[in-house]
Amino acid sequence: VSLTEPGEKLLSDSRRIIALLDQTQAALQADQLNGRVRIGIPDEYGVSVLPGVLGKFATSNPGVEVTVRCGGSDDLHAAVAAGALDLAVMFEETVRPGSEILTNDPTVWVTSNEFCMHEFDPVPVAVYENECWCRDWALESLDQQGQNYRVAFTSDSSDGLQAAVTSGLAIAPLSRSNIPENCRELTSEDGYWNFLTSNVVLRFRSGARSAATESMAATLREEFINY
């Protein structure tokens, strides 16, 4: 069963309406909210999404102190579980119980239009330095696709992987929304038919539900709807 085109539009509009209602309610309660909210967000959205979220939240909730941690999804999940964060946005290949899907942002192989590193043999690749499901998928997908490759660069952040691509050092697995300028996604025509369906989810710390955290969650939902 799948939605028709009008159904998809209705779903998108409905989510936007709900997010706006949540934000309006939070704004009306702004003088009642105080305390601190600790949020986490992946590096991929530190520039594109986070500024809008913080600006809107600060306007609606000036009495709430916000602290932010940017990092990898595995680290953010561990921080939520340990009680170091109240809520976090993160990537999950398989959605865990208790996680709320915000959007889907597939991980794809990316190359530079100028340097065309995917044409090299072996293909130079950039991957995350630490063991994680994204690194595992990246190397497994190359094996599945029969690519002859060598690991030319490792980094603990998506910014490092982007730099490797734009500088002509390597191809890299990146979120589709984070493909740098003058770069493109590698497709089946290039021999890269595999991509990772990455769910972007919102997760609360156990017992962290409060007016302040709910307001932050509503702001995050709205920002990702419009992203």
Side-chain angles (χ1 to χ4, degrees):
V1 177
S2 60
L3 291 174
T4 62
E5 185 175 346
E8 290 284 0
K9 185 178 186 306
L10 177 61
L11 178 62
S12 176
D13 290 344
S14 298
R15 285 174 173 163
R16 187 175 295 108
I17 290 168
I18 291 171
L20 287 172
L21 286 172
D22 289 342
Q23 185 181 5
T24 300
Q25 181 182 23
L28 292 174
Q29 296 174 339
D31 59 337
Q32 302 175 16
L33 299 183
N34 50 47
R36 183 174 68 160
V37 175
R38 302 167 299 170
I39 69 169
I41 195 164
D43 293 324
E44 287 85 346
Y45 304 121
V47 174
S48 57
V49 172
L50 185 58
V53 170
L54 296 181
K56 292 176 181 177
F57 186 82
T59 299
S60 301
N61 305 281
V64 178
E65 176 188 347
V66 180
T67 58
V68 181
R69 178 187 296 186
C70 290
S73 292
D74 289 345
D75 290 340
L76 295 177
H77 182 270
V80 171
L85 293 174
D86 298 312
L87 69 164
V89 175
M90 62 191 81
F91 289 100
E92 289 185 350
E93 181 181 9
T94 302
V95 180
R96 298 180 174 97
S99 295
E100 172 191 342
I101 298 177
L102 296 175
T103 189
N104 184 270
D105 195 359
T107 299
V108 298
W109 282 102
V110 177
T111 189
S112 165
N113 291 328
E114 179 180 357
F115 298 105
C116 301
M117 297 85 69
H118 62 287
E119 297 177 355
F120 290 25
D121 187 15
V123 179
V125 301
V127 293
Y128 285 106
E129 180 178 4
N130 299 321
E131 293 292 333
C132 63
W133 58 267
C134 184
R135 177 190 170 98
D136 293 342
W137 166 82
L139 298 180
E140 289 174 4
S141 73
L142 293 171
D143 292 333
Q144 292 171 0
Q145 293 164 162
Q147 300 291 344
N148 184 25
Y149 68 91
R150 64 180 181 87
V151 176
F153 182 89
T154 60
S155 173
D156 60 0
S157 72
S158 63
D159 289 343
L161 299 189
Q162 289 188 40
V165 175
T166 56
S167 65
L169 185 61
I171 66 171
L174 296 170
S175 299
R176 187 172 282 163
S177 67
N178 275 267
I179 296 177
E181 186 177 355
N182 200 29
C183 297
R184 69 175 178 87
E185 174 184 344
L186 290 168
T187 66
S188 57
E189 294 181 357
D190 304 298
Y192 293 80
W193 47 265
N194 203 354
F195 66 89
L196 180 64
T197 303
S198 304
N199 298 292
V200 181
V201 305
L202 176 65
R203 190 173 184 86
F204 284 85
R205 172 178 61 82
S206 178
R209 299 273 183 168
S210 67
T213 57
E214 290 290 356
S215 179
M216 175 60 76
T219 306
L220 285 163
R221 293 185 189 103
E222 180 189 6
E223 198 69 16
F224 274 96
I225 286 173
N226 297 324
Y227 182 56

